Amino acid sequence: MAKDTTGRLHVQVKTGGKRKLSSKLWLERQLNDPYVAKAKAAGYRSRAAFKLLEMDDKFRLLKPGMAVVDLGAAPGGWSQIAAKRVGSLEGKGKVVAIDLLEMPEIPGVDFAQLDFMDNDAPEKLTAMLGGKADIVMSDMAANTTGHRKTDQLRIVGLVETAAAFACDVLKPGGAFLAKTFQSGADAELLAQLKRDFATVRHVKPAASRQDSSERYVLATGFRGGTRSESDIPSRSG
Ligand SMILES: C[S@@+](CC[C@H](N)C(=O)[O-])C[C@H]1O[C@@H](n2cnc3c(N)ncnc32)[C@H](O)[C@@H]1O
């Protein structure tokens, strides 16, 4: 449970959504959430682990020996699943993860505390990877300002930048999975993904809260090749 330095519970800000939850409501929801209890019992660091488990069980994204990039990895639920499924604990495959926040070590996962939007992030990630990736996954959620249009643009900007990075590091046939939000602001992103990948779909796993506009975009069958300069979003920095 997230607490600030005074020990108070964080107020959770809903990205892409329309409202903030008070700390009391957030705590209530956490306590009543079956996925929170399941995650604790299974030793997963987050309830988000069940979203990836469900999507992977359905679409067979993670296979032994694969190289995986996990963007926005903390506290580490997705990285735990990835390490288990590719076998990086037994020296098979590779899992490379980054987050703005610190993440306590996960066996089989190479982690760096890094802002993905920094100019040097792709270079650092590529060096950690040491080759091409089979899948780039992003569960990153941009901080919200409360201004709907600005927030939607930020969210889409993060996913577009992740998609451009994926196109640089993926092997042909590779996959891109990213958190996004239903807003209609992602039409250009979807059009670009359809050019770069054989199949593009939206997925809403059962573990994704039904009252949230969160959903995932899954692009499979990377066609290979590089993007033109005009297709690559600019970074901060
Ligand atoms: C929903 S959490 C990820 C949960 C994770 N998939 C799990 O299973 O535990 C989203 C994460 O994205 C990270 N994030 C947001 N923007 C980022 C950025 N620009 N660079 C790196 N991480 C970022 C946040 O710090 C946060 O930890």
Side-chain angles (χ1 to χ4, degrees):
M1 191 180 307
K3 288 181 180 177
D4 65 19
T5 47
T6 64
R8 280 195 305 261
L9 286 167
H10 271 304
V11 173
Q12 194 195 28
V13 179
K14 297 271 297 168
T15 49
K18 298 103 203 155
R19 64 210 154 84
K20 293 176 177 185
L21 291 182
S22 72
S23 49
K24 184 167 173 266
L25 276 178
W26 183 72
L27 176 61
E28 223 167 77
R29 192 168 77 166
Q30 287 291 101
L31 292 174
N32 294 325
D33 185 334
Y35 288 105
V36 173
K38 267 173 82 174
K40 203 171 173 200
Y44 294 132
R45 291 189 183 174
S46 64
R47 68 185 296 294
F50 291 101
K51 301 178 199 173
L52 182 61
L53 276 175
E54 189 185 326
M55 290 188 281
D56 187 40
D57 286 345
K58 187 161 180 191
F59 298 106
R60 303 273 162 219
L61 303 169
L62 301 167
K63 300 194 181 96
M66 279 187 163
V68 179
V69 178
D70 185 6
L71 304 172
W78 282 29
S79 283
Q80 287 177 298
I81 305 292
K84 211 174 199 170
R85 296 209 163 174
V86 307
S88 57
L89 273 170
E90 298 92 50
K92 280 181 266 164
K94 196 167 183 70
V95 180
V96 166
I98 63 156
D99 202 287
L100 287 171
L101 306 176
E102 278 179 41
M103 184 170 89
E105 195 182 327
I106 297 177
V109 177
D110 289 345
F111 175 75
Q113 190 175 359
L114 197 61
D115 183 344
F116 177 66
M117 297 306 278
D118 281 352
N119 283 330
D120 57 355
E123 203 181 311
K124 286 185 182 163
L125 266 164
T126 310
M128 286 165 75
L129 202 55
K132 292 278 182 183
D134 294 284
I135 176 164
V136 172
M137 10 184 246
S138 165
D139 201 16
M140 286 187 291
N143 286 330
T144 52
T145 62
H147 184 265
R148 198 160 155 264
K149 210 151 192 186
T150 307
D151 291 341
Q152 285 177 353
L153 289 173
R154 276 192 183 189
I155 290 158
V156 174
L158 205 52
V159 187
E160 280 179 345
T161 311
F165 170 74
C167 291
D168 281 343
V169 298
L170 281 176
K171 296 175 190 169
F176 173 65
L177 172 68
K179 190 211 292 279
T180 173
F181 294 89
Q182 233 165 333
S183 71
D186 55 359
E188 180 46 40
L189 167 74
L190 294 179
Q192 182 64 54
L193 286 174
K194 283 178 187 165
R195 289 195 282 273
D196 292 326
F197 293 83
T199 307
V200 178
R201 48 165 74 85
H202 281 120
V203 189
K204 174 86 176 170
S208 175
R209 292 191 166 99
Q210 295 310 302
D211 62 355
S212 152
S213 60
E214 173 189 271
R215 62 182 178 177
Y216 290 83
V217 62
L218 173 61
T220 50
F222 179 54
R223 298 185 208 277
T226 47
R227 284 181 170 193
S228 67
E229 280 296 312
S230 59
D231 289 332
I232 299 171
S234 60
R235 287 169 175 270
S236 66

